[in-house]
Amino acid sequence: MVQHNLNIKFALLVPCYNAAAYIDPFLDNLSNLDVPFDEIIFYDDASTDNTYQLLLAKGNTVIRGAENKGPGYARNRLAEAAKSLYIHFHDIDDEFNPRFLSLVSQKLEHHPYDVVLGYADWIDSTSRKPLIKWRYNQEKIVKNPIDYFISNPLGIINTVYLRSFFLQENGFNEEIKCWEDADLHIRLAAAGARFAVIDEVLAYSIRHNNGI
């Protein structure tokens, strides 16, 4: 198994709502990572199916919300609960590049960035063909990060955050229910976050008709 800097701990934070059908595929995909996360926490956002029970039965750490409040709220509670230096949010219906953490660790080995991001592909759930290929440019981000992230929205499944910086900037705007990711990254840019780009696909967003 690939090793990473033991001084850097990573938390995987996963919000869930009525996600029972995605639990097994997600855990299978997670088991393929060449470097495991140091900490994994799920948040059940008041599901009406048996998401919470299934996650617990499989030995996972789960925070259970009493009321459905959306992904921004769930992610903020997860970030507060985490103990690791860096945090990563992933949607339970999406997939990892198996080298996700080894690539991120390499980027952080000599420089404590606030945000590390890679490329992401959006994949059709049926055909498995790419629908959109999200690519990002380090030089342009450094030159003008606010303008860049307005023009090039950044999601969360291919991004890792320094937990203290994320919390300092109050995390996600909990009133935004879709593309709250884009808002977060513009605010982090405005706050002076140090961004680093990995020129490889880190994650795959599986596009279907069951999400928001």
Side-chain angles (χ1 to χ4, degrees), residues 180-195:
E180 67 281 359
D181 328 36
D183 169 79
L184 170 69
H185 298 125
I186 292 168
R187 288 191 291 106
L188 293 181
R194 299 162 296 177
F195 291 88

Side-chain angles (χ1 to χ4, degrees), residues 26-54:
F26 181 79
L27 295 177
D28 286 345
N29 185 247
L30 195 59
S31 70
N32 292 324
L33 292 178
D34 62 355
V35 174
F37 282 90
D38 301 285
E39 181 181 14
I40 301 174
I41 312 174
F42 293 85
Y43 184 98
D44 178 57
D45 196 16
S47 294
T48 58
D49 66 2
N50 60 341
T51 293
Y52 177 72
Q53 292 81 5
L54 286 173

Side-chain angles (χ1 to χ4, degrees), residues 93-95 121-125 128 204-208:
D93 53 344
D94 292 331
E95 298 175 3
D121 286 350
W122 284 14
I123 305 294
D124 181 83
S125 62
R128 301 293 299 187
Y204 304 90
S205 179
I206 309 304
R207 313 309 295 176
H208 49 70

Side-chain angles (χ1 to χ4, degrees), residues 123-176:
I123 305 294
D124 181 83
S125 62
T126 302
S127 69
R128 301 293 299 187
K129 292 182 179 179
L131 301 173
I132 302 176
K133 295 183 177 182
W134 294 94
R135 302 295 183 260
Y136 300 93
N137 184 288
Q138 174 87 46
E139 184 178 344
K140 292 180 179 179
I141 291 173
V142 170
K143 183 177 180 180
N144 195 326
I146 297 174
D147 282 0
Y148 186 83
F149 287 120
I150 289 173
S151 302
N152 302 272
L154 173 63
I156 50 96
I157 67 167
N158 49 308
T159 311
V160 172
Y161 310 89
L162 182 66
R163 177 176 175 270
S164 58
F165 196 92
F166 174 89
L167 293 175
Q168 170 191 305
E169 299 308 316
N170 300 313
F172 292 94
N173 181 336
E174 297 174 11
E175 300 302 314
I176 300 176

